[in-house]
């Protein structure tokens, strides 16, 4: 607990994963993403002072990804000033010209519409402007 008048700095969390193996579409596989994820974790937990906070691991399915992100955000341990960096390395697609979706390990190339999108992970061009 912080002393009166002294506030604790925000906590820094990292959720990092990579989809390096696609069970239904091996031509999408990118084994090098495993090492890239490790480098991100090393950078954030070392120099930047983040805590890697996830059981997500590598090659998450749609359910694993959305369930883990939801569990983290809904945890009673979350504070209003927590900082969260999310790094998801893998393939993506743009649907209908404005919805970006992540291709998870269980994505079926014949049914890309059934991927993490609007429920938790979509990025709309109209509201997102990368730096």
């Amino acid at each position: 607990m912080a002393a009166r008048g002294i506030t604790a700095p925000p906590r820094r969390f990292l959720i990092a994963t990579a989809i390096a193996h696609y069970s239904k579409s091996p031509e999408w596989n990118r084994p090098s993403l495993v090492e890239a994820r490790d480098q991100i974790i090393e950078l954030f937990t070392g120099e930047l002072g983040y805590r890697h906070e996830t059981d997500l691991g590598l090659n998450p399915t749609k359910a694993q990804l959305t369930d883990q992100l939801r569990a983290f955000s809904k945890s009673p341990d979350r504070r209003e000033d927590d900082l969260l960096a999310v790094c998801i390395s893998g393939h993506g697609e743009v649907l209908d010209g404005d919805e970006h979706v992540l291709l998870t390990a269980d994505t079926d190339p014949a049914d890309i519409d059934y991927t993490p999108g609007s429920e938790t992970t979509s990025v709309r061009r109209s509201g997102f402007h990368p730096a």
Side-chain angles (χ1 to χ4, degrees):
M1 179 177 260
R4 182 175 282 211
I6 300 174
T7 58
R11 300 178 302 173
R12 297 173 180 217
F13 297 100
L14 170 68
I15 295 176
T17 189
I19 301 100
H21 177 77
Y22 294 85
S23 60
K24 297 178 182 174
S25 191
E27 66 274 10
W28 291 348
N29 290 353
R30 296 294 182 269
S32 62
L33 292 180
V34 174
E35 183 179 341
R37 173 187 175 260
D38 291 343
Q39 292 172 347
I40 291 290
I41 293 170
E42 184 178 322
L43 171 67
F44 273 77
T45 59
E47 282 182 51
L48 302 177
Y50 281 70
R51 182 172 72 193
H52 189 222
E53 179 82 17
T54 183
D55 294 324
L56 198 51
L58 293 166
N59 307 313
T61 64
K62 175 185 178 177
Q64 290 169 331
L65 178 62
T66 55
D67 289 352
Q68 284 289 325
L69 291 173
R70 182 169 180 77
F72 179 86
S73 66
K74 299 293 277 182
S75 170
D77 186 45
R78 296 291 72 79
R79 294 189 332 213
E80 193 173 300
D81 65 340
D82 285 345
L83 301 174
L84 173 63
V86 178
C87 178
I88 304 171
S89 299
H91 294 290
E93 289 285 331
V94 179
L95 305 178
D96 299 326
D98 70 343
E99 183 178 6
H100 295 240
V101 295
L102 299 167
L103 304 182
T104 55
D106 61 339
T107 295
D108 182 346
D111 193 14
I112 289 181
D113 287 335
Y114 185 69
T115 58
S118 58
E119 68 271 7
T120 57
T121 54
S122 69
V123 178
R124 300 272 180 197
R125 284 187 182 159
S126 61
F128 176 73
H129 305 285

